Amino acid sequence: MDKTEIAQIASQMSTREDLLTLLNRIKQDEIRELGFDADKFYPFTMKQLLYYCNPNHVFHRYHQFQIKKKSGGFRQITAPRNQSFMMLLQSLNEVLKAIYTPSNHAMGFTEKRSVVTNAAVHKNQNYIFNIDLKDFFPSIEQGRVMKRLTLAPFNFSPQIALLISGLCSMRVKREHPIETKQHDLDKQFMYVLPQGAPTSPIITNMICDTLDRRLAGLAKRFGTRYTRYADDITFSSMHNIYSGSGEFIKELIRIINTQGFAINDAKTRLQKRGSRQEVTGLIVSDKLNVTKKYVREIRSLLYIWDKYGYSEAMSNFYPKYKAEKGHIKKGNPDLINVLDGKLMYLKMVKGDTDSVYVKLYTKFQELVNRDSSSGKTNSYGITYIESLPFLKFEKDKNTIITIHHKDCNKRYATFKIGETNQIASINKSVTLDDERQKEKLAISYCRDSKGERFWLIHLVDKMTEFKPKPVDIDELNNDLDLLLGI
């Protein structure tokens, strides 16, 4: 179903049965697009819909965890607890996206807009003023969401609006009970947007329509530029109107407070020309640019990969990645895919002709081709990315490989790279006697025909040993000089 068809059907909904039918059609189409038999899918049931739309059904709806903030401390994330609820919310999100388009000033959570389009608005300005909205998601309550869904462009009936707002809300305990509330549960609890649900981002934009309109009006009145990326609000101008006692700040605070939000004073900052001006992680002083730290990270990983091998680069990359992204992406990351994504982002910001991007991307392709050459691939489609003798691997990685035996002659090996536990398969050609003679063994980092990567222990005669290049100090210094000049 395309957006036009979804929006047309949604405009005719009047009962919860209508909503359930639409959600199931969207789910069925999604399953078909993934290549599965759409006739055998398990539809959402009315029992599920009515259960999940009640935020007081706490246990089976959401689970909470914390992730580290770049600025320090932790951010609490609330995500759907099970797959059926997640798919229900994802289907509902398609309905909301088909009907609603965020304001021109909202740069986050919408198609064809990003941190890049957000930052581009504020290039080459004398002053960048940035504020952050405090407790953005939990400050939006269910009642407010329900009210918004009854207005244009949704125009849902109260029954549909209540059901959808319930699906998209979670129950949290009030700091102080409100005895004037009619129901006992409402006295103790409030129902708010969870930070981590697939529907929450678009709902924040829906709720902030009036905020965007009024702040855009304020910006026009004072001759400034305005954008909002989620809870990150940015104004920029050639003149300084950001004095704490000035009319602009007073009116800004009034508008934000009347819209049910509050400013996080700890994150308010004014950046002047001459210093590094940054908007949503990008430098905007004269032209759009990424930070030096971002480029250094890519360059460092490529350098280690080139000089010391893929596994060494992976061992440097993996712990940090798991600490920052492990709550989002399960399983082991693919360093090639991660680097490819980082380079695509660098290209989006700096352009495909930029010298830094061209140099890094060329080196990346060179390393990918080197480790994917036909000479390293066997008849089963297994590519030996790099291999080392068993004893040399243990010495170089400062680790000990332990071989385990399970029932039915099943074997595997475990070891650590840094603080990360690794598991290796053992080739069938390795006998029990070979296991006791480590000098006869090698370990390889491999990729199968589907692109999955794994460790494999095998006999040393099947090894394709990685031979690191000698370190060229002049080359390294030249590269660093180029990068520091970005």
Side-chain angles (χ1 to χ4, degrees):
M1 301 175 69
D2 60 22
K3 286 187 174 182
T4 302
E5 185 178 3
I6 293 174
Q8 183 178 8
I9 295 173
S11 68
Q12 299 170 355
M13 292 190 306
S14 59
T15 67
R16 60 195 186 193
E17 287 79 13
D18 294 334
L19 176 61
L20 181 63
T21 299
L22 177 56
L23 294 177
N24 275 321
R25 284 193 60 182
I26 293 171
K27 179 182 179 181
Q28 190 172 28
D29 276 6
E30 177 68 19
I31 289 174
R32 185 181 292 112
E33 289 179 6
L34 293 173
F36 298 105
D37 187 348
D39 294 328
K40 295 181 180 180
F41 89 109
Y42 295 96
F44 303 123
T45 65
M46 183 58 70
K47 183 177 180 180
Q48 284 178 310
L49 189 64
L50 295 180
Y51 179 87
Y52 287 130
C53 76
N54 186 348
N56 288 310
H57 293 153
V58 176
F59 181 76
H60 289 98
R61 298 176 84 249
Y62 291 102
H63 69 101
Q64 295 182 325
F65 53 91
Q66 291 184 327
I67 61 173
K68 288 184 179 180
K69 296 180 179 179
K70 290 183 180 180
S71 57
F74 292 87
R75 174 178 288 109
Q76 184 162 282
I77 300 296
T78 305
R81 183 178 290 275
N82 58 65
Q83 191 63 26
S84 63
F85 188 33
M86 172 66 85
M87 292 186 71
L88 184 64
L89 292 177
Q90 288 172 338
S91 298
L92 177 58
N93 195 45
E94 293 301 314
V95 176
L96 300 178
K97 286 164 57 179
I99 300 172
Y100 171 76
T101 301
S103 77
N104 293 332
H105 305 283
M107 298 296 174
F109 316 132
T110 186
E111 295 176 1
K112 298 181 180 180
R113 303 181 205 173
S114 65
V115 293
V116 177
T117 54
N118 182 58
V121 174
H122 304 285
K123 286 189 302 183
N124 201 28
Q125 296 291 294
N126 287 341
Y127 298 92
I128 307 287
F129 183 66
N130 187 266
I131 63 172
D132 186 85
L133 299 181
K134 186 176 181 181
D135 300 327
F136 185 52
F137 287 89
S139 64
I140 299 174
E141 296 193 37
Q142 179 186 352
R144 193 173 178 186
V145 176
M146 178 184 172
K147 174 68 174 179
R148 179 69 183 86
L149 290 169
T150 63
L151 304 176
F154 304 99
N155 300 313
F156 289 142
S157 67
Q159 182 189 45
I160 298 292
L162 177 61
L163 196 153
I164 292 176
S165 64
L167 285 169
C168 300
S169 301
M170 62 172 286
R171 190 180 81 176
V172 296
K173 192 174 181 63
R174 296 184 186 275
E175 290 186 9
H176 305 288
I178 301 179
E179 298 300 333
T180 56
K181 292 287 185 179
Q182 182 177 357
H183 301 290
D184 290 340
L185 283 174
D186 291 341
K187 294 177 182 178
Q188 300 293 327
F189 301 100
M190 56 193 299
Y191 305 92
V192 301
L193 284 188
Q195 183 171 353
T199 48
S200 292
I202 192 170
I203 290 176
T204 61
N205 281 336
M206 290 158 41
I207 295 298
C208 287
D209 272 344
T210 302
L211 176 70
D212 287 337
R213 185 174 65 253
R214 292 183 179 178
L215 290 184
L218 177 67
K220 183 177 180 180
R221 173 183 163 193
F222 284 87
T224 72
R225 302 176 181 184
Y226 162 71
T227 61
R228 180 182 58 81
Y229 191 97
D231 57 353
D232 192 334
I233 291 175
T234 305
F235 293 90
S236 63
S237 59
M238 300 303 290
H239 51 295
N240 188 358
I241 55 170
Y242 309 106
S243 169
S245 59
E247 186 64 26
F248 175 85
I249 296 297
K250 290 179 180 179
E251 187 64 8
L252 174 65
I253 294 173
R254 186 191 69 79
I255 292 173
I256 289 174
N257 289 346
T258 57
Q259 288 302 303
F261 298 106
I263 295 176
N264 184 351
D265 293 328
K267 292 189 176 181
T268 299
R269 57 178 179 165
L270 177 62
Q271 304 167 83
K272 301 177 183 179
R273 184 184 289 276
S275 62
R276 189 176 81 169
Q277 296 176 312
E278 190 173 322
V279 176
T280 47
L282 293 174
I283 308 301
V284 296
S285 301
D286 296 311
K287 62 178 182 178
L288 283 188
N289 209 340
V290 297
T291 62
K292 292 180 180 179
K293 179 181 177 182
Y294 186 86
V295 176
R296 284 196 190 106
E297 183 181 40
I298 299 174
R299 178 64 182 87
S300 174
L301 289 171
L302 291 175
Y303 180 82
I304 296 170
W305 182 3
D306 186 24
K307 305 299 182 183
Y308 305 107
Y310 186 91
S311 63
E312 187 65 27
M314 189 70 181
S315 66
N316 277 265
F317 156 77
Y318 185 85
K320 182 180 178 182
Y321 180 91
K322 292 299 286 185
E324 294 180 352
K325 306 288 186 180
H327 64 284
I328 300 174
K329 300 179 180 179
K330 305 302 179 184
N332 292 329
D334 183 336
L335 178 57
I336 290 178
N337 289 342
V338 173
L339 281 170
D340 191 38
K342 286 181 173 292
L343 287 166
M344 287 179 64
Y345 180 75
L346 184 65
K347 174 184 175 182
M348 180 172 65
V349 175
K350 295 174 73 68
D352 58 4
T353 61
D354 177 79
S355 61
V356 174
Y357 165 74
V358 170
K359 184 175 180 64
L360 293 176
Y361 184 73
T362 301
K363 173 58 71 174
F364 171 71
Q365 287 297 326
E366 175 190 316
L367 295 174
V368 170
N369 293 335
R370 184 192 75 183
D371 288 349
S372 303
S373 62
S374 59
K376 293 186 174 185
T377 304
N378 64 21
S379 59
Y380 299 101
I382 304 297
T383 300
Y384 290 71
I385 297 174
E386 67 179 67
S387 306
L388 283 174
F390 197 97
L391 294 173
K392 180 174 174 55
F393 182 89
E394 288 187 322
K395 180 181 178 181
D396 289 353
K397 306 298 183 185
N398 191 27
T399 190
I400 295 176
I401 302 175
T402 303
I403 296 178
H404 305 269
H405 291 261
K406 297 181 69 176
D407 296 337
C408 303
N409 296 321
K410 291 183 178 179
R411 299 176 295 171
Y412 67 97
T414 58
F415 59 95
K416 278 191 172 184
I417 293 182
E419 296 300 319
T420 306
N421 294 317
Q422 303 286 343
I423 298 176
S425 301
I426 301 176
N427 191 276
K428 292 180 180 180
S429 64
V430 177
T431 66
L432 293 177
D433 186 57
D434 293 333
E435 290 181 17
R436 292 187 284 269
Q437 302 178 64
K438 292 186 175 181
E439 66 276 3
K440 295 178 64 176
L441 301 178
I443 181 169
S444 293
Y445 194 65
C446 303
R447 181 180 63 249
D448 65 19
S449 58
K450 296 181 180 179
E452 296 294 328
R453 285 168 168 75
F454 60 95
W455 292 99
L456 178 67
I457 293 174
H458 52 86
L459 294 176
V460 74
D461 61 356
K462 295 186 177 181
M463 184 181 71
T464 55
E465 184 173 356
F466 171 77
K467 296 180 180 179
K469 298 178 182 178
V471 177
D472 186 328
I473 298 300
D474 291 334
E475 177 190 352
L476 176 59
N477 287 332
N478 289 336
D479 287 342
L480 290 176
D481 287 343
L482 172 63
L483 295 176
L484 290 174
I486 64 172

